[in-house]
């Protein structure tokens, strides 16, 4: 009886067979597994097979498997700042270990023993797990499926269909193996492996991304009344893993905490609670998250986990408890004082800094980070993280010089790719910014000194000179030249303590000056400079004049250093008008350079706006004011500050009407931002109707640019294209992206309206298709008959009676010698003899569209039509499309009764076009003109829109 207890089961798994293909030398040899049915499986034979199979094969194979998983767990490192992986080991690691030895042991244990052994199913289960850990998922699934089939309940040797009426026992349908046994079987048998194989089959499905199969099997097991209670924690774990993969975070956390059982060690419990807390946090269930983070702290043996758990609790509880952050900060600082956390102080102080940052306490955060750096002697990765956070912190505070120094201290190779990219982008730019800020601060200082009265300025410089000498360790003297011209008497040297002279050496000025002269002749001028920081502090002041000279000499600095004296400091003060202008030039160039760096290199438009506004405020009349205003206008538009952009645009057009920046000559192709060039190219491809090329280019660009890089204009026109192609879901996605990324853009409201229309597209189309409208015939009377002989335009205009009354055009600037208000008395004589401008003629307001696809031409027509209905609801303004050349389309609005009305209309729509009417179309794609019906006919013949624009600009230079 006792012997049977130690040997395992008394009843073997029945009816298992095996088919083995042997090599030629072994074809005639019969393995013990092939002899399984030849003889009876007697009790001694069962005892022998069970004992050898269990201890010689299964035990060793299982031990090796546990060691492999243990090594993989030891090599795994959790990043507590990110969502933890579900398991604390990686299959990539187990697959590279000695997993084949497990398979070898399992195979040998099966083939070399009778298949009626009680450990065959255990060996098959271990074999399936080995295939899974080797990432051979297909083989693992085949093994688990074989266990399900071969070791299922049998009916006198015949298979019973699983889950069928035949397997219905007492009205209960089940796929599981019933583990209810009497006392004798509990003593003499081990539990079957078939039920456990279902759970491993679920994991295999999940690893293969066969979510439907895994979900179905989990549902069956949960509804199975015979599924054993002992495996419920494992089933909860499988359910949690399934929901984890599905990103159903709250369900994953619920089943994960249920999977914990009494046998779990404390380390595993702590990690499980921490992961559950993270999942609850992602599901916005903060109370449950805090509860599980607290449990993780209670069970934590890893100080890293405890530190980050407290960080997360502080972040989550801030809104619910006033002093939650301070309480956790105090707990962290208590940890730092304990000896057992001595090696983790760098982590603790780093966590304390992050807590301080969460409440914007930047000085305190910097203090803790500096302590973290000081304690990071054996943790180089943490040291780099602290330096990186110091750089980020000072960058946010706009302390760019300090930010550069901290970034410069980072060993980037120890950081992630994203962090390396951030440093590589910011560090070179911040180096230039810090130099420029230093120049600005220095010039502001010397200019302030220059405003002092002469006596006060001299006293200040003397005090500063003494301070610098003291910092450099240079001895103070009343006058440097005192006693310097005395000739030293080498034969008759002074007796320092002799009796020949009653005067003490240090009280005898003659002896002191002679000693000073002799020291200088022998050793030269040797200041006591042991600290390079003192030397550099001095150099910053005495090189002011050199810096000014370098600006005047095109950046060529004079390497000669001036002697430290009151005169050298005085020379650095800009006292003359020329010196003051030179100092201002240094400041202007430094500010403009910093603005360009923020705008072009760092995409920090808010900081660029601050710099440009400061430059214009301090130096509004400078030569650089024009370029600064133009760059500031660009930044306003980038940040969707349309009100400020419109205001500045009007000022810029008035003050710099002939600016070169209006014609796109500001930045060469070589200097233009590559991202801006890429965006412009894709945008133009869309607008010009080259949709296939545009989609292809955008997909390639998305590999290097984030979605936030796309401007609202590009997203809007892309959505229009998808609407035309009836790809409504993609169109809605682009519009939602526009709304989320650019909520203040004028296009956001249009995008919301378009989403609503797209969602009701079928309803609207059905309504319109069934709608029958009978429109009455209208008689349209033109103010000017385009076909009448009296209005045919000739190169020589007919003169009318000079006494005829002609209405005058309002607000039109007349060039000298040309009278455009009275066509009867003074017909216009122009270089182009075939075009004529007669102010009283009917005129169209024209929107000129350049290289715009017909689909977007239609959108532009609809946009102006909506605007006219809102602004000119009491007038009937028709809009027609007139192609001039293949690349240019005219939108003809009107006609208006004369040129004055047409010009008034264009004056209204010009400032509104970019922000309200056509915000999705870049300004270089459209323009405005007016044209009479007669000139339109001539233009349709000549096909030269440029010539007509030149003609109109001669007539109305301040309008078009």
């Amino acid at each position: 009886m006792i012997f049977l207890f130690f040997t395992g089961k008394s009843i073997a798994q029945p009816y298992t067979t095996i088919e083995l293909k042997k090599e030629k030398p072994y074809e005639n040899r019969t393995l013990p597994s092939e002899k399984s049915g030849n003889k009876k499986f007697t009790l001694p034979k069962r005892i022998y097979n069970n004992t050898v199979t269990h201890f010689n094969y299964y035990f060793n194979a299982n031990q090796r498997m546990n060691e492999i998983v243990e090594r993989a767990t030891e090599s795994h490192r959790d990043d507590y700042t990110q969502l933890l992986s579900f398991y604390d080991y990686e299959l990539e690691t187990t697959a590279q270990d000695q997993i084949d030895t497990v398979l070898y042991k399992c195979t040998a244990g099966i083939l070399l023993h009778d298949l009626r052994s009680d450990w065959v199913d255990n060996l098959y289960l271990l074999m399936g797990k080995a295939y899974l850990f080797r990432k051979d998922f297909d083989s693992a699934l085949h093994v688990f499926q074989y266990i399900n089939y071969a070791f299922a309940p049998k009916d006198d040797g015949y298979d019973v269909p699983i889950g069928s009426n035949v397997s219905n026992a007492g009205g209960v349908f089940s796929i599981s193996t019933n583990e209810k046994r009497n006392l004798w079987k509990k003593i003499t048998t081990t539990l079957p492996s078939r039920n456990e194989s279902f759970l491993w089959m679920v994991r295999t499905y999940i690893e293969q991304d066969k979510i439907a199969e895994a979900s179905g099997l989990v549902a069956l097991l949960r509804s199975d009344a015979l599924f054993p209670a002992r495996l419920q924690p494992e089933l909860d774990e499988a359910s949690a893993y399934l929901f984890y993969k599905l990103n159903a975070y709250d369900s994953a956390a619920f089943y994960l905490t249920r999977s914990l059982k009494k046998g779990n060690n404390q380390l595993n419990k702590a990690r499980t609670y921490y992961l559950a807390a993270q999942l609850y946090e992602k599901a916005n269930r903060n109370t449950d998250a805090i509860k599980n983070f607290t449990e993780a702290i209670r069970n934590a043996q890893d100080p890293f986990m405890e530190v980050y758990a407290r960080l997360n609790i502080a972040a989550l509880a801030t809104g619910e408890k006033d002093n939650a952050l301070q309480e956790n900060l105090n707990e962290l600082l208590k940890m730092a004082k304990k000896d057992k956390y001595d090696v983790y102080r760098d982590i603790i102080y780093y966590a304390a800094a992050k807590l301080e940052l969460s409440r914007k306490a930047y000085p305190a955060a910097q203090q803790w980070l500096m302590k973290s750096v000081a304690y990071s002697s054996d943790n180089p990765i943490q040291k780099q993280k602290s330096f990186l956070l110091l750089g980020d912190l000072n960058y946010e505070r706009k302390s760019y010089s300090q930010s550069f120094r901290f970034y410069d201290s980072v060993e980037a190779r120890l950081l992630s790719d994203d962090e390396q990219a951030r440093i590589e982008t910011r560090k070179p730019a911040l180096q230039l910014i810090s130099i420029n800020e230093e120049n600005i601060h220095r010039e502001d200082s010397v200019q302030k000194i220059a405003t002092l009265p002469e006596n006060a300025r001299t006293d200040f410089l003397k005090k500063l000179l003494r301070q610098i000498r003291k910092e450099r360790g240079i001895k103070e003297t009343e006058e440097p030249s005192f006693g310097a011209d005395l000739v030293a008497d080498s034969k008759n040297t002074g007796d320092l303590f002799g009796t020949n002279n009653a005067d003490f050496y240090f009280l005898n000025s003659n002896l002191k000056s002679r000693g000073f002269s002799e020291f200088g002749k022998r050793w030269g001028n040797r200041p006591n400079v042991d600290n390079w920081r003192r030397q550099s502090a001095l150099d910053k002041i005495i090189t002011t004049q050199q810096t000014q000279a370098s600006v005047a000499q095109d950046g060529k600095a004079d390497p000669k250093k001036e002697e430290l004296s009151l005169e050298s400091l005085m020379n650095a003060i800009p006292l003359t008008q020329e010196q003051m202008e030179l100092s201002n030039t240094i400041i202007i160039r430094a500010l403009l350079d910093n603005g360009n760096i923020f705008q072009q290199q760092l995409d920090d438009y808010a900081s660029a706006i601050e710099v440009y506004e400061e430059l214009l405020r301090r130096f509004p009349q400078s030569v650089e004011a024009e370029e600064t205003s133009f760059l500031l206008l660009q930044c306003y538009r980038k940040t969707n500050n349309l009100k400020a952009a419109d205001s500045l645009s009007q000022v810029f057009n008035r003050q710099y009407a002939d600016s070169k920046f209006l014609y796109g000559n500001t930045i060469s192709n070589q200097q233009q931002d590559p991202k801006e060039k890429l965006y412009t190219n894709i945008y133009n491809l869309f607008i010009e109707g080259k949709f296939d090329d545009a989609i292809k280019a955008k997909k390639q660009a998305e590999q290097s640019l984030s979605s936030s890089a796309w401007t609202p204009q590009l997203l809007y026109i892309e959505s229009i294209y998808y609407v035309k192609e009836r790809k409504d879901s993609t169109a809605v996605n682009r519009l939602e992206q526009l709304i989320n990324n650019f909520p203040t853009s004028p296009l956001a409201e249009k995008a919301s309206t378009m989403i609503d229309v797209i969602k009701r597209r079928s309803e609207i189309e059905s309504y319109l298709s069934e709608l029958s409208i009978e429109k009455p015939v209208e008689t349209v009377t033109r103010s000017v008959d385009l076909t009448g002989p009296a209005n045919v335009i000739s190169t020589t205009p007919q003169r009318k009676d000079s006494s005829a009354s002609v209405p005058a055009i309002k607000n039109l600037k007349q060039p000298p010698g040309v009278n455009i208000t009275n066509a009867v008395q003074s017909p216009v004589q122009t270089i182009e003899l075939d075009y004529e401008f007669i102010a009283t003629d009917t005129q169209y307001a024209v929107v000129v569209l350049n290289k715009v696809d017909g689909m977007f031409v239609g959108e532009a027509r609809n946009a102006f039509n909506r605007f006219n209905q809102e602004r000119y609801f009491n007038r009937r303004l028709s809009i027609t499309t007139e192609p001039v050349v293949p690349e240019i389309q005219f939108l003809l609005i009107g006609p208006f009764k004369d040129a004055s009305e047409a010009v008034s209309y264009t004056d209204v729509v010009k400032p509104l076009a970019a922000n309200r009417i056509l915000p999705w179309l870049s300004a270089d794609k459209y323009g405005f003109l007016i044209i009479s019906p007669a000139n339109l006919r001539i233009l349709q013949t000549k096909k030269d829109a440029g010539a007509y624009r030149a003609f109109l600009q001669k007539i109305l230079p301040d309008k078009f």
Side-chain angles (χ1 to χ4, degrees), residues 495-496 498 500-508 511:
D495 184 6
L496 183 61
N500 295 332
N501 193 341
D503 292 337
F504 186 58
Y505 174 81
F506 292 106
L507 298 178
N508 191 325
L511 290 176

Side-chain angles (χ1 to χ4, degrees), residues 607-725:
S607 298
I609 288 173
E610 290 183 13
V611 174
Y612 291 144
E613 288 178 342
E614 180 185 357
L615 197 159
L616 292 175
R617 176 176 52 80
R618 295 182 61 179
F619 309 100
Q621 304 301 324
S622 63
V623 177
E624 290 80 2
E626 178 184 352
E627 181 181 357
T628 304
S629 299
F630 182 79
L631 294 173
L632 179 59
L633 180 60
Q634 290 182 329
C635 290
Y636 281 148
R637 288 173 177 167
K638 280 287 187 181
T639 55
N640 288 312
N641 190 351
L642 303 178
K643 184 177 180 180
D646 291 341
S647 176
L648 181 59
S649 178
Q650 294 177 6
V651 174
F652 188 87
N653 291 333
R654 183 171 61 252
Q655 293 183 353
Y656 310 107
D658 298 328
S659 173
K660 63 180 181 178
F661 298 100
L662 294 176
Y663 300 97
N665 297 327
T666 56
I667 303 176
S668 64
N669 291 333
Q670 291 78 13
Q671 295 175 329
Q672 190 177 3
D673 185 4
K675 290 191 295 185
E676 193 73 20
K677 290 174 66 177
L678 183 60
Y679 155 74
T680 303
N681 178 55
I682 297 172
Y683 175 86
N684 288 333
L685 289 173
F686 267 113
I687 285 293
E688 294 170 13
K690 301 173 182 177
F691 300 116
D692 293 339
D693 294 339
I695 296 295
K696 182 179 179 180
K698 187 170 184 291
K699 287 181 179 179
Q700 293 176 350
E702 284 175 340
Q703 298 177 0
S704 57
L705 298 178
S706 63
S707 59
S708 60
W710 305 116
T711 63
Q713 291 86 351
L714 178 56
L715 293 170
Y716 189 82
I717 63 172
E718 186 183 6
S719 67
I720 293 175
Y721 162 74
Y722 285 121
V723 170
K724 179 186 175 184
E725 296 294 316

Side-chain angles (χ1 to χ4, degrees), residues 333-345:
L333 298 180
K334 285 181 183 178
M335 290 173 59
K337 295 178 181 179
K338 295 179 180 179
D339 292 338
K340 70 176 183 176
Y341 295 119
D342 181 55
V343 295
Y344 302 107
R345 284 177 179 169

Side-chain angles (χ1 to χ4, degrees), residues 180-374:
K180 290 184 179 180
R181 299 164 297 164
N182 56 37
L183 181 61
W184 172 252
K185 288 188 177 181
K186 287 182 180 180
I187 295 174
T188 59
T189 62
T190 59
L191 294 171
S193 300
R194 180 170 174 271
N195 292 328
E196 192 176 352
S197 71
F198 288 129
L199 300 175
W200 285 96
M201 195 182 301
V202 170
R203 178 167 181 191
T204 306
Y205 280 136
I206 296 174
E207 298 295 351
Q208 290 180 306
D209 291 326
K210 296 180 178 180
I211 303 301
E213 289 85 346
S215 301
L217 185 52
V218 167
L220 285 173
L221 295 176
R222 288 210 166 274
S223 61
D224 195 330
L226 298 182
F227 190 77
R230 69 180 181 88
L231 294 177
Q232 282 297 331
E234 285 78 4
L235 180 58
D236 289 332
E237 180 181 317
S239 301
Y241 190 35
L242 176 62
F243 286 119
Y244 180 92
K245 286 289 188 178
L246 292 172
N247 295 333
Y249 299 119
D250 51 350
S251 298
F254 172 76
Y255 284 110
L256 185 61
T257 52
R258 277 186 45 171
S259 69
L260 289 170
K261 53 187 179 181
K262 293 182 180 179
N264 291 100
N265 60 56
Q266 198 169 5
L267 184 62
N268 184 52
K269 277 187 178 181
R271 189 182 188 277
T272 301
Y273 280 124
Y274 191 94
L275 176 56
Q278 288 183 313
L279 294 171
Y280 276 128
E281 181 182 0
K282 282 186 170 291
N284 295 319
R285 294 175 56 176
N286 294 344
T287 303
D288 292 324
I290 292 172
K291 179 181 176 182
N292 281 273
F293 276 130
T294 304
E295 287 295 322
I297 292 173
R298 193 169 63 86
N299 291 277
Q301 295 180 347
D302 183 357
F304 287 85
M305 179 185 292
E306 183 175 352
V307 166
Y308 285 107
R310 293 193 179 279
L311 272 176
N312 289 310
I313 291 175
L316 293 171
T318 301
E320 301 178 2
K321 194 175 179 181
D322 295 336
N323 61 341
L325 190 149
Q326 188 61 45
E327 286 182 359
N328 282 277
L329 179 60
N330 294 339
E331 290 296 327
L332 286 174
L333 298 180
K334 285 181 183 178
M335 290 173 59
K337 295 178 181 179
K338 295 179 180 179
D339 292 338
K340 70 176 183 176
Y341 295 119
D342 181 55
V343 295
Y344 302 107
R345 284 177 179 169
D346 53 347
I347 304 293
I348 295 172
Y349 288 130
Y350 180 81
K354 296 196 77 171
L355 285 179
E356 295 288 8
L357 280 177
S358 65
R359 59 183 178 184
K360 308 296 183 183
Y362 294 115
Q366 181 149 335
Q367 174 190 350
W368 297 126
L369 285 172
M370 295 302 294
K371 279 196 169 186
S372 175
V373 171

Side-chain angles (χ1 to χ4, degrees), residues 118-131:
D118 298 331
W119 291 93
V120 172
D121 58 338
N122 302 82
L123 288 169
Y124 274 119
L125 181 64
L126 190 58
M127 179 186 293
K129 291 163 64 175
Y131 279 124

